Amino acid sequence: MSDAVSLEVGSDGILVATMNLPGRPMNVVGDELMAGIAAAVDRLSDPAVKGMILASGKADFCAGGDIDRMAKWTQPEEPFEASMAMKKVLRRLELQGKPVVAAIGGHALGGGLEIALACHARIALADPRLKLGQPEVKIGLLPGGGGTVRLPRLVGIQAALQICGEGNDIAVTKAREMGLLADTAADRDELMAKARAWIAANPKARQPWDQPKFKFPGGDSRSPALVPMWAIAPSIASARSQGNYPALQHIMSSIFEGGLVDFETAQVVESRYFAACVTSQVSKNMIGTLWFQLNAIKKGASRPQGVPASKVRRLGILGAGMMGGGIAYVSAKAGIEVVLLDTTQEAADKGKAYSQGLLDKAVKKGRSTPDKRDALLARIRPTTQYEDLAACDLVIEAVFEDRAVKADVTRKAEAVLGAGAVFASNTSTLPITGLARASARPGSFIGLHFFSPVDKMPLVEIIVGQATSDETLARGFDYVLQIGKTPIVVNDSRGFYTSRVFSTYVMEGIAMLKEGVHPRSIEAAGLQAGMPMPPLALQDEVSLSLALHVAEQTRKDLAAEGRPYTEHPGMSVIRQLCEIGRVGKKAGRGFYDHGDEGRQLWPGLTTLYPVDAQQPAQRELIDRMMFAQANEAARCHEEGVLRSAADANVGSIFGWGFAPFHGGALQFIDAMGAAAFVARARELAAAYGPRFEPAAVVVQMAAQGGRFAA
Ligand code: NAD
């Protein structure tokens, strides 16, 4: 008997097989679990056993594949064999001739859902938090346990393409509607009772695809009804992915080809595509960063050890503008009492109204209730009085980006705060060490850099000033986790890490304009590179005047420090556009004309910057945008601004959307290899300027070996 699945036959002759992997918080699909299920199938063959309920002894039903194991596969044979071995067990399960019901009391994701699909019926708890789905595509994989074979045969090809291609969670109600579930249950007792009743009512259960007259719901891949869909699905997918995510193409191919052949052949087809995905560089990049490095960060890899865990009970926010209002919302949502201060009561109230707006919308859409909304709003107290901050354990300053204003509010807040309180600045550009000079206790001063819009963006960049203590850092880190966001920790520097590297992407695109590259080619290259927004459109969002302001400030600061300032060639374009009032989206005009119907590239752009007859290859433009970012990230590493490759990679994807398929700004270099990076960077430097000269740390790696990630 296996430890992974316990077996118990009741007096009604029904075998209850309970998955409960020893030593793991969740059930994951691997050899151990599959051996347990195989043993359960053996037991099912006992003539005294009438049927089987597959259940879970953990909170989830089964969380999916064992990613630790998958990450080690480099050759296709092993994953192909492992996938076929899993299928063999599941095929025996469904062909035993006795009914098997999956009793789903918690998440059934990836391989977990695939196991449930091999059961003759699925019944789930009617819990709105319960997640079903095939999320493999999100880490560059394809369901390898029969998901692309059974789903099209159960819910139809179109729905299967959506489930596997998008990878989103399916709520229980939706799953019931589409026929993925046979029934739902109010609680665990009802779940088991309904499973038993289903077995009693269906003693000869057979899967639809094992019936002699089986037909795909909605037709198989040859069906004329699906011709229009097959004609456009690949182009929709490639418009979304720019061809950068092979898993998406493989999923479509597996479903299409699997819909032309018999069940067993379709299983082999799927396992081949699975092996191709799991050994691909893209899945290695995504698993490495979005699984291993992200988990390490969440477990506190960048948090100083030895400082006891802390919680913020009362948070003060100075400045109830766009950022202050957003920070108030996410904090109150996490149960924190918030004091929201501004110069006038009206401004403070407006900051609170931002939460009201978001919550009203959520209630309208059924994602929240009036009670929950009111409780959250009751936690936000708008004020103009500094005394109200007295009991706060953390204060975040989000006033105007102005040193004098920030210094003033720092002093006023510290005058009323308790000795143990932490003071944080949400500045986007001003070095933290300098701002901390206004503080009477710089050890408790830190940067907490949020991204806009705060309620949507998952990252907070924590900036450690020269005097910031380990305890302050640990408390800032704990707060970021407390509000459900991902913290990265960086050392103080101009632009910190995210703003500094992000700007190289946008500025590279802008510099191309001046060289005569067609603006449309520039924008297309940004998207083809895998960035969420093209560079010119992005600069319009951020505003050209802000970029100019920051550049001027940097120039002044560096001059005051006696250090040289090298202007990026794109800056002259920004200056020129600002001079003619094209300052960005807020003004309705920048690189684009912005109207009610969206944006259109400003026609005057090509008059101001005439387009060359001979246009460069898109590859050249893409390389420039990506190498500029990766090289700047490497410089941040070299200068000690970055503290780990995990912070760099996760921060780049979550902070500014660095093409996720590359696995992050430093993984871009690790995946390519330092020598190849150096060679190409030098070519770019020769053609476009010294900003592409590879960072010394990469040159060293190219000579001596090594990589950023361990
Ligand atoms: P904003 O102009 O929307 O809000 C600033 C608020 O601060 C206003 O409500 C203003 O009344 C208030 N304020 C000004 N002086 C004050 C004082 N002395 N006391 C109390 N309140 C005062 O600005 P924002 O976009 O929310 O930015 C705030 C800070 O966050 C800035 O430092 C900015 O650099 C930083 N930041 C902004 C973004 C962004 O995308 N907007 C992103 C990250 C960080």
Side-chain angles (χ1 to χ4, degrees):
M1 194 174 136
S2 151
D3 283 347
V5 180
S6 62
L7 307 177
E8 202 182 326
V9 182
S11 54
D12 54 1
I14 291 176
L15 166 66
V16 178
T18 308
M19 300 183 286
N20 202 350
L21 264 192
R24 291 264 206 165
M26 291 181 277
N27 287 319
V28 290
V29 181
D31 290 342
E32 211 182 340
L33 188 71
M34 292 318 294
I37 295 177
V41 178
D42 290 343
R43 189 68 191 278
L44 184 60
S45 64
D46 180 339
V49 175
K50 295 200 177 101
M52 174 168 130
I53 299 174
L54 186 60
S56 162
K58 302 206 190 280
D60 62 325
F61 177 77
C62 175
D66 183 345
I67 296 183
D68 293 350
R69 179 169 80 142
M70 292 196 243
K72 294 192 187 100
W73 285 328
T74 53
Q75 300 302 316
E77 292 80 4
E78 221 185 319
F80 177 81
E81 292 305 333
S83 152
M84 288 307 291
M86 173 181 180
K87 288 171 173 172
K88 204 167 147 195
V89 174
L90 295 181
R91 202 67 186 125
R92 274 180 58 218
L93 175 82
E94 65 187 355
L95 289 174
Q96 249 313 313
K98 292 180 190 170
V100 181
V101 177
I104 304 174
H107 304 327
L109 292 167
L113 182 59
E114 291 177 297
I115 291 174
L117 286 168
C119 300
H120 300 102
R122 285 149 298 283
I123 303 176
L125 269 190
D127 178 349
R129 285 163 306 182
L130 195 152
K131 294 178 192 170
L132 305 167
Q134 301 285 172
E136 289 86 345
V137 69
K138 295 192 170 165
I139 46 170
L141 296 179
L142 162 147
T148 71
V149 181
R150 289 191 179 86
L151 276 170
R153 286 166 170 79
L154 185 69
V155 296
I157 283 180
Q158 211 155 344
L161 277 172
Q162 209 168 11
I163 293 170
C164 301
E166 290 176 4
N168 294 330
D169 301 333
I170 313 165
V172 170
T173 40
K174 178 89 198 293
R176 176 90 171 89
E177 271 166 36
M178 61 165 50
L180 201 54
L181 297 173
D183 204 351
T184 59
D187 55 38
R188 281 177 194 271
D189 287 344
E190 193 183 46
L191 182 63
M192 295 307 277
K194 282 191 167 179
R196 285 177 198 283
W198 197 94
I199 289 171
N202 297 277
K204 296 208 158 70
R206 250 169 129 189
Q207 296 283 33
W209 42 90
D210 291 320
Q211 317 263 3
K213 290 197 177 148
F214 169 70
K215 282 202 167 64
F216 276 69
D220 65 18
S221 298
R222 285 184 201 83
S223 163
L226 292 179
V227 168
M229 191 273 297
W230 287 123
I232 57 163
S235 44
I236 293 176
S238 86
R240 235 180 55 209
S241 70
Q242 303 287 339
N244 290 327
Y245 295 85
L248 192 54
Q249 280 141 11
H250 289 341
I251 285 168
M252 277 193 297
S253 301
S254 185
I255 292 180
F256 175 75
E257 292 167 26
L260 296 172
V261 295
D262 63 89
F263 188 92
E264 305 301 347
T265 311
Q267 298 245 69
V268 180
V269 168
E270 182 193 79
S271 289
R272 290 200 177 125
Y273 281 118
F274 171 71
C277 279
V278 82
T279 53
S280 70
Q281 185 60 50
V282 168
S283 83
K284 300 283 177 224
N285 291 343
M286 294 178 86
I287 288 174
T289 300
L290 298 173
W291 180 259
F292 291 111
Q293 294 186 345
L294 180 60
N295 285 344
I297 284 178
K298 286 189 172 161
K299 282 190 192 137
S302 323
R303 181 190 188 278
Q305 287 171 1
V307 182
S310 66
K311 263 201 156 128
V312 171
R313 291 199 168 72
R314 186 177 294 243
L315 169 73
I317 301 172
L318 311 180
M322 188 164 98
M323 299 305 286
I327 298 168
Y329 171 75
V330 296
S331 303
K333 197 169 168 207
I336 299 172
E337 296 291 330
V338 176
V339 179
L340 184 56
L341 182 146
D342 210 300
T343 44
T344 64
Q345 190 61 40
E346 195 189 350
D349 289 341
K350 196 170 157 216
K352 177 171 176 172
Y354 178 74
S355 291
Q356 174 102 42
L358 288 178
L359 289 161
D360 284 347
K361 222 186 266 172
V363 171
K364 211 166 152 195
K365 290 196 171 157
R367 286 200 311 260
S368 187
T369 62
D371 284 354
K372 280 191 192 151
R373 172 193 60 198
D374 297 345
L376 193 157
L377 286 174
R379 285 196 283 275
I380 304 178
R381 179 145 57 103
T383 186
T384 58
Q385 303 299 312
Y386 276 84
E387 297 80 66
D388 292 343
L389 299 171
C392 290
D393 21 34
L394 170 67
V395 167
I396 301 175
E397 158 290 288
V399 297
F400 298 141
E401 189 75 342
D402 179 301
R403 281 201 182 90
V405 179
K406 287 191 189 296
D408 180 48
V409 300
T410 305
R411 283 188 205 104
K412 284 180 178 152
E414 283 188 355
V416 297
L417 283 175
V422 168
F423 190 96
S425 172
N426 178 46
T427 177
S428 36
T429 54
L430 303 169
I432 290 298
T433 306
L435 291 180
R437 289 201 189 104
S439 168
R441 31 183 208 169
S444 303
F445 196 104
I446 196 164
L448 290 179
H449 179 206
F450 285 79
F451 296 77
S452 175
V454 179
D455 56 298
K456 293 219 176 72
M457 296 296 285
L459 192 78
V460 177
E461 182 178 29
I462 302 184
I463 300 118
V464 182
Q466 260 165 27
T468 307
S469 72
D470 272 3
E471 189 192 339
T472 301
L473 169 57
R475 286 175 59 190
F477 193 96
D478 293 347
Y479 161 71
V480 175
L481 288 184
Q482 191 182 347
I483 57 170
K485 303 223 178 265
T486 302
I488 61 161
V489 179
V490 306
N491 289 327
D492 199 11
S493 133
R494 197 167 296 283
F496 316 129
Y497 164 60
T498 54
S499 310
R500 175 171 160 184
V501 180
F502 156 80
S503 71
T504 61
Y505 162 60
V506 181
M507 293 308 288
E508 200 55 40
I510 296 172
M512 291 171 189
L513 256 188
K514 212 166 69 170
E515 298 166 17
V517 181
H518 197 291
R520 264 186 229 296
S521 303
I522 299 171
E523 297 296 76
L527 294 176
Q528 287 161 346
M531 301 300 292
M533 241 185 145
L536 305 180
L538 201 47
Q539 188 62 64
D540 268 7
E541 291 283 331
V542 180
S543 116
L544 282 75
S545 45
L546 181 68
L548 193 59
H549 174 76
V550 172
E552 295 304 338
Q553 184 71 43
T554 306
R555 183 205 301 277
K556 273 190 217 150
D557 288 354
L558 289 178
E561 292 166 26
R563 288 163 57 197
Y565 171 71
T566 319
E567 188 168 271
H568 195 287
M571 198 44 81
S572 64
V573 175
I574 293 198
R575 193 170 291 117
Q576 201 168 3
L577 263 80
C578 283
E579 276 164 12
I580 53 171
R582 303 201 67 92
V583 296
K585 189 177 171 186
K586 266 191 189 164
R589 35 197 263 134
F591 291 108
Y592 286 78
D593 286 323
H594 299 268
D596 293 340
E597 270 119 60
R599 57 171 191 247
Q600 277 206 334
L601 274 166
W602 173 47
L605 216 47
T606 47
T607 316
L608 209 53
Y609 305 106
V611 171
D612 264 4
Q614 184 71 31
Q615 288 288 302
Q618 288 300 99
R619 186 73 253 163
E620 191 77 357
L621 307 184
I622 294 170
D623 276 3
R624 285 176 65 176
M625 291 174 189
M626 300 314 280
F627 274 72
Q629 295 178 76
N631 204 25
E632 194 67 15
R635 285 198 193 107
C636 288
H637 189 277
E638 186 178 296
E639 292 168 21
V641 174
L642 281 166
R643 296 175 155 209
S644 76
D647 286 332
N649 289 329
V650 170
S652 66
I653 296 177
F654 285 12
W656 72 95
F658 184 90
F661 72 96
H662 284 304
L666 289 184
Q667 177 60 21
F668 181 88
I669 300 175
D670 278 349
M672 178 178 301
F677 183 87
V678 166
R680 179 70 175 129
R682 286 188 172 143
E683 276 175 22
L684 294 172
Y688 306 106
R691 63 187 178 282
F692 284 105
E693 276 305 333
V697 60
V698 193
V699 175
Q700 195 183 357
M701 280 178 187
Q704 297 170 3
R707 54 203 311 269
F708 288 105

